[in-house]
Amino acid sequence: MPATTPPAVTVLTTRGLLLDMDGTLVNSDAVVERWWRRWAVEHGLDPDEALKVVHGRQGHATMAVLLPDRPVEQNLADNRVMLAQETADTDGVVPVPGAPAFLASLAGLPHALVTSADETLATTRMKAAALPPPALRVTAESVTSSKPHPEGFLKGAAALGLAPADCVAFEDSEAGITAALAAGMRVVGIGPRALPHSPTAHVEDLTHVRAEALPDGGIRLHLTA
């Protein structure tokens, strides 16, 4: 019987975790693609090309990338409509594999949600996926600049009382990974979208992550490729 190669394990030690939501804890791709495809077609855009930039950003920031000459006020108005539509639609919203056990393992450990969703959408999607929302949350209302700007992650670290370098971010998108790296954090990339964007480490999903509390209050992450 041929010998099998044991899976590669990466170990990271940190003081706190900053968790993206969509694509990282919650798989909401079905909803995102439904509404963004419709919006792209309504505005004469190729929906497949539009979907390449929607993940990770606030809606109005995505619109600014796709239609750079459009007034900001119009993007903000469209974003309000889009948020209402996505909040009302939870069909296909499910937890990322391993998310329930991973979040349960973080009870009592320093962690926060850092998402481009607003508070209502974040609450709705976490509930639809039957996941407990972290007590500390940085949502769209908390920041003035959307990912890929690092503001959200910097605010998340501050909320935990930690330096950015003492945090590890979990992200699935190019915008999110760029934001976390710009904030000075190590990044665990989750899923196929993350792999091309040079996260510090990468796993297929959260079934490949184990968090261990350390005696000094730190956290040791075991990541299995």
Side-chain angles (χ1 to χ4, degrees):
M1 187 173 182
T4 58
T5 303
V9 178
T10 299
V11 177
L12 300 177
T13 301
T14 185
R15 307 294 299 181
L17 305 179
L18 298 175
L19 312 173
D20 174 52
M21 182 182 69
D22 292 303
T24 300
L25 299 174
V26 174
N27 183 345
S28 57
D29 284 3
V31 176
V32 172
E33 293 193 10
R34 254 194 306 276
W35 291 104
W36 278 99
R37 282 186 179 280
R38 181 179 299 188
W39 184 90
V41 170
E42 288 174 352
H43 291 84
L45 300 172
D46 181 338
D48 290 328
E49 291 301 311
L51 287 175
K52 292 178 180 179
V53 299
V54 303
H55 296 287
R57 292 178 171 85
Q58 291 183 36
H60 64 84
T62 296
M63 294 168 190
V65 171
L66 295 171
L67 296 174
D69 297 327
R70 218 164 66 131
V72 172
E73 293 76 11
Q74 195 168 350
N75 291 337
L76 291 172
D78 271 17
N79 186 50
R80 287 191 290 271
V81 174
M82 179 75 76
L83 281 171
Q85 291 167 331
E86 290 195 46
T87 302
D89 183 0
T90 58
D91 186 21
V93 175
V94 295
V96 166
F102 177 64
L103 281 175
S105 75
L106 300 185
L109 299 178
H111 67 286
L113 192 72
V114 180
T115 176
S116 292
D118 67 4
E119 180 71 26
T120 302
L121 180 57
T123 300
T124 297
R125 284 191 175 159
M126 292 291 283
K127 182 178 180 180
L131 296 174
L136 289 176
R137 296 183 291 276
V138 178
T139 60
E141 299 96 332
S142 310
V143 298
T144 57
S145 299
S146 170
K147 300 172 185 177
H149 194 281
E151 181 185 3
F153 283 111
L154 293 173
K155 286 197 169 183
L160 294 178
L162 297 172
D166 289 331
C167 297
V168 168
F170 282 66
E171 267 287 357
D172 73 298
S173 69
E174 179 181 11
I177 291 169
T178 299
L181 291 174
M185 300 170 183
R186 291 164 293 167
V187 185
V188 175
I190 306 294
R193 273 197 297 267
L195 191 54
H197 305 298
S198 302
T200 310
H202 178 266
V203 293
E204 182 180 345
D205 56 44
L206 292 170
T207 63
H208 299 276
V209 181
R210 181 168 64 87
E212 173 190 1
L214 298 176
D216 66 356
I219 303 168
R220 181 177 291 136
L221 298 170
H222 301 260
L223 312 168
T224 306

